[in-house]
Structure formats: C-alpha cells, structure tokens
Amino acid sequence: VFFDKGVVYSEISKKQQNQVEFYNCIEKGIMNYTKSISLDKNNLKAYFNRGVIYSSISHYNKAILDFSEVISIDPFFDNAYDYRGNQYLKLSQYDKAFNDFKKACSFGNKKSCKKYLLKTKNYKKDYILKGLKIFLLFLIIYLIHNISKKFN
C-alpha cells in the first residue's frame, strides 16, 4: 500500500506547476517509500524510486545510498548502477561514476555504455588539457625567470 502511494505521489509531483505542491508531493512520496521499506527491507523498487526522488531534488548523497542499497539487494540491477553513476557525476566523483557506468554497461545497459564511452573520452581530454596548462604555466615561469636574468 505504501509503495503504491509513493508511486502515486511521485507521478503527481511531475505534474505540479506550483513549487509548494511539488515539494509536498515529493515529501509524501519519500515518506511512503520509507514506510514501505520499513515493512520490507528488501523492497528494491522502493529504494530505487526513493533514490530517483532524492536525485530530482538534488539530494545526491541520499540517492547514492538508496541506489547502493538496491545494488546490495540485487547486484545485477543495471539501472541502479546507471542512476548511481549519474549521482556521482553530479558530485564530480568521476572514477566512481565511470565504474558504475562500466558495470551497468557490462549488463547490457546501452545508455550506460554510451555515457561510459563519452565521459571516459571527455575525462581523458580534460586530463590532457589540465596537464598541458600546467606545462605551459611552468614554461612561462621559466621563460620569465631567464629573461629577467638577462636584464639584470
């Protein structure tokens, strides 16, 4: 019953234009999923849905905890890895995000495969650019130092 109420409030919240009503529905959705979990600690759908709600209101760490719980109940739940990876990305925890996308990809989750490949490519590009910037900074310092020696 509580799980079903959580689903209803989650769906209603998506249609709310008024921010107060939106958060009221979100709060009721979280409350009902929490009650459902208290009755069945292995209710992975309640953990997963509550994690989605937490993510929608930028409570990324709480979402990670819920998606991690789903994974501990069912280590083959590919969407839990994908969603948890998204939370890690939002928290700039790239290595953890990539590991989750890679894991979900290994289970055949195509959107995770795309994210993994794209984010890995961008991450490597960013890493190279940061290295290049550091190199250029040291080169500039070196040149300034040597030029100042010539004028002294």
Side-chain angles (χ1 to χ4, degrees), residues 47 63 108 116 136 143:
Y47 282 111
Y116 175 70
L136 289 173
L143 291 172

Side-chain angles (χ1 to χ4, degrees), residues 3-4 6 12 21 26 32 36 52 61-62 65 71-72 82 102 116-117 125 132-133 135-136 138 141 149:
F3 177 82
D4 294 334
I12 291 172
E21 287 300 316
I26 290 292
N32 280 286
S36 180
V52 170
N61 287 314
K62 288 181 179 182
L65 290 174
I71 292 165
S72 73
D82 183 67
K102 184 178 180 180
Y116 175 70
L117 294 173
K125 182 176 77 175
L132 184 59
K133 286 178 184 177
F135 171 76
L136 289 173
F138 280 114
I141 292 169
K149 275 185 171 179

Side-chain angles (χ1 to χ4, degrees), residues 37-49:
I37 291 166
S38 71
L39 297 173
D40 178 5
K41 298 289 184 199
N42 292 321
N43 189 339
L44 62 91
K45 288 182 181 180
Y47 282 111
F48 184 82
N49 289 354

Side-chain angles (χ1 to χ4, degrees), residues 73-92:
I73 295 167
D74 180 0
F76 302 103
F77 196 110
D78 62 324
N79 277 334
Y81 290 100
D82 183 67
Y83 275 75
R84 188 174 72 176
N86 286 324
Q87 308 319 298
Y88 284 135
L89 274 183
K90 291 171 185 173
L91 295 171
S92 300

Side-chain angles (χ1 to χ4, degrees), residues 50-52 54-55 59-68 87:
R50 188 174 69 176
V52 170
Y54 281 138
S55 175
H59 290 184
Y60 306 126
N61 287 314
K62 288 181 179 182
I64 288 169
L65 290 174
D66 278 351
F67 297 132
S68 296
Q87 308 319 298

